Amino acid sequence: LRTTTLNDGTPLTLLNGEAWNNPSCPAYCYYNDDVANAETYGVLYNFVAVNTGLLAPKGWHVATHDDWNTLAAYFGGIGQAGGKLKATHTWLAPNEGATNESGLGLLPTGYRDADGTFDGIGQLGYWWTATIATFGEQAWMRNLSNISPQLGGGGSAFTLGFAVLCVKDKS
C-alpha cells in the first residue's frame, strides 16, 4: 500500500524523525524518511492509521490475522508459506525459499521502530494486521525474512511502523 490518505479523503500525517512516536494520529512515513523508497517498498504506517478502518481502498480491507492464517494454510502452512509469498527479487541473498508461487510478490519493506529509527530493508518485511491482540496494547503483525521460508508473526506495539497488505472484500 502506498496511500497517504484514508479512503474518505482524510490526509494521513507524515511523521519524520522522533515525531514518529505519536500514538494519537493516523500517520505514515517512508523508509529512512526518503520518498524514493515508496516506489519500490511502499509506505510504512502506524497502527492508529490501520485501526481507523479506512486505510484500505473502498471495497478492500487491511488483512486480518485470520486472512493471513488462511493465506498461510493455502500455501502449505507457516513453515513454507513465506517463501511462496516473497518476491524473487529485491530481497537480499539468500532469499531462502522464495518462489512467489502466490503471485503476491511481497517485498522486504523493513520497519520503523518507536524511536523513529529504521531497520531491515532488503532483509525483512513486516505487515500490520487489522486484528488487535488480546494481550496488552498490541496488534497482530506478520513478517518475512530473507533467511527463512517461514511466515512469522506475533503481537507488536502500536507505535511501530509496518507495511500493509490489503484484501479484496467478498461481494
Side-chain angles (χ1 to χ4, degrees), residues 71-107:
L71 192 60
Y74 185 82
F75 287 105
I78 61 169
Q80 300 174 10
K84 295 174 182 178
L85 300 173
K86 290 191 291 183
T88 56
H89 65 288
T90 68
W91 291 83
L92 296 176
N95 200 9
E96 196 65 41
T99 66
N100 193 23
E101 182 180 319
S102 68
L104 286 175
L106 296 182
L107 300 171

Side-chain angles (χ1 to χ4, degrees), residues 42-106:
V43 174
L44 303 176
Y45 300 94
N46 67 4
F47 189 73
V48 177
V50 173
N51 204 35
T52 64
L54 300 171
L55 188 58
K58 291 183 187 222
W60 295 71
H61 64 273
V62 173
T64 64
H65 186 59
D66 288 342
D67 289 332
W68 279 96
N69 287 341
T70 299
L71 192 60
Y74 185 82
F75 287 105
I78 61 169
Q80 300 174 10
K84 295 174 182 178
L85 300 173
K86 290 191 291 183
T88 56
H89 65 288
T90 68
W91 291 83
L92 296 176
N95 200 9
E96 196 65 41
T99 66
N100 193 23
E101 182 180 319
S102 68
L104 286 175
L106 296 182

Side-chain angles (χ1 to χ4, degrees), residues 2-162:
R2 289 181 180 86
T3 189
T4 58
T5 61
L6 298 176
N7 66 22
D8 66 359
T10 304
L12 294 167
T13 302
L14 173 61
L15 291 179
N16 292 319
E18 292 180 16
W20 178 255
N21 195 2
N22 180 351
S24 65
C25 70
Y28 73 99
C29 68
Y30 305 109
Y31 190 91
N32 272 347
D33 295 327
D34 183 351
V35 69
N37 284 318
E39 187 173 323
T40 300
Y41 300 103
V43 174
L44 303 176
Y45 300 94
N46 67 4
F47 189 73
V48 177
V50 173
N51 204 35
T52 64
L54 300 171
L55 188 58
K58 291 183 187 222
W60 295 71
H61 64 273
V62 173
T64 64
H65 186 59
D66 288 342
D67 289 332
W68 279 96
N69 287 341
T70 299
L71 192 60
Y74 185 82
F75 287 105
I78 61 169
Q80 300 174 10
K84 295 174 182 178
L85 300 173
K86 290 191 291 183
T88 56
H89 65 288
T90 68
W91 291 83
L92 296 176
N95 200 9
E96 196 65 41
T99 66
N100 193 23
E101 182 180 319
S102 68
L104 286 175
L106 296 182
L107 300 171
T109 60
Y111 67 94
R112 187 167 207 168
D113 211 336
D115 67 3
T117 59
F118 296 90
D119 195 21
I121 203 165
Q123 299 171 308
L124 303 168
Y126 285 84
W127 294 267
W128 285 117
T129 77
T131 308
I132 295 176
T134 57
F135 44 85
E137 294 190 16
Q138 297 186 0
W140 286 100
M141 62 80 173
R142 292 300 181 140
N143 64 305
L144 297 170
S145 168
N146 66 321
I147 61 171
S148 173
Q150 182 172 335
L151 174 62
S156 190
F158 296 151
T159 53
L160 299 178
F162 297 149

